[in-house]
Amino acid sequence: MSNLEDREEDVSLLELKKKMADFAKERDWDRFHSPRNLLLALVGEVGELSEIFQWKGEVARGLPDWEDEEKQHLGEELSDVLLYLVRLSDICGVDLGKAALRKLEINANKYPVNLCKGSSKKHNQIINNSSSPTTNNSCSMKDDIFQSHDGV
């Protein structure tokens, strides 16, 4: 591997996808990388990621109270989750970058800024109240517009 500390350009999903495919092929692991197996491995890694935050309560952005070792461990577990997700999307034939951009568009339509800014309500909590002003930071939209999409 090259010295990653000196790297200046961003890492692309395509680069990660290729590196993961090469990694698996070199080790003859393709036969184990079924969608089900990769999903279960991903879930396991999400569990390990969750353990890092377990019992800490709320933590500040940037993790200012964390030790460098804790931050490094967090980076490793986040990376495991990302790498399994990239591999799973590759094996399933999903362009993860395009799917993520599409999902952002769906969510932008589901949660328009002018109606939902500052609200934590989910799309299924949106009130069908188009004639009265929005109060209490609640979104005001027709539910039938959004029934075909999943939430994030």
Side-chain angles (χ1 to χ4, degrees):
M1 288 241 147
S2 61
N3 187 355
L4 297 177
E5 301 298 323
D6 295 334
R7 186 180 175 125
E8 292 185 21
E9 67 272 359
D10 288 338
V11 176
S12 71
L13 290 176
L14 180 60
E15 180 181 0
L16 291 176
K17 175 180 150 179
K18 288 178 181 177
K19 286 186 178 289
M20 286 298 293
D22 290 345
F23 186 88
K25 186 174 183 174
E26 289 168 353
R27 289 158 181 78
D28 193 25
W29 288 354
D30 282 328
R31 59 188 162 148
F32 306 119
H33 284 190
S34 67
R36 177 189 171 276
N37 287 347
L38 290 168
L39 176 61
L40 293 175
L42 173 63
V43 169
E45 293 300 336
V46 169
E48 291 181 28
L49 177 60
S50 299
E51 287 177 349
I52 295 173
F53 288 92
Q54 190 174 18
W55 314 121
K56 288 189 179 283
E58 289 299 322
V59 295
R61 286 182 180 214
L63 312 175
D65 300 328
W66 286 32
E67 300 292 326
D68 288 340
E69 295 80 23
E70 290 177 299
K71 289 182 181 181
Q72 182 175 346
H73 183 216
L74 174 62
E76 291 168 1
E77 296 306 331
L78 286 166
S79 297
D80 285 340
V81 169
L82 174 63
L83 293 171
Y84 273 118
L85 184 61
V86 167
R87 183 68 173 153
L88 177 60
S89 68
D90 183 27
I91 294 300
C92 291
V94 173
D95 183 322
L96 190 56
K98 287 180 181 176
L101 290 174
R102 181 174 178 275
K103 185 63 176 179
L104 284 170
E105 286 180 13
I106 290 169
N107 287 342
N109 290 326
K110 193 184 293 185
Y111 301 102
V113 174
N114 64 324
L115 297 175
C116 297
K117 188 171 186 174
S119 173
S120 63
K121 291 190 176 190
K122 294 286 287 178
H123 68 92
N124 60 356
Q125 296 173 312
I126 294 170
I127 300 167
N128 185 4
N129 189 8
S130 59
S131 61
S132 65
T134 303
T135 58
N136 240 6
N137 287 329
S138 64
C139 298
S140 175
M141 305 198 106
K142 294 185 186 280
D143 289 337
D144 59 346
I145 297 172
F146 304 111
Q147 289 178 354
S148 64
H149 303 298
D150 296 331
V152 171

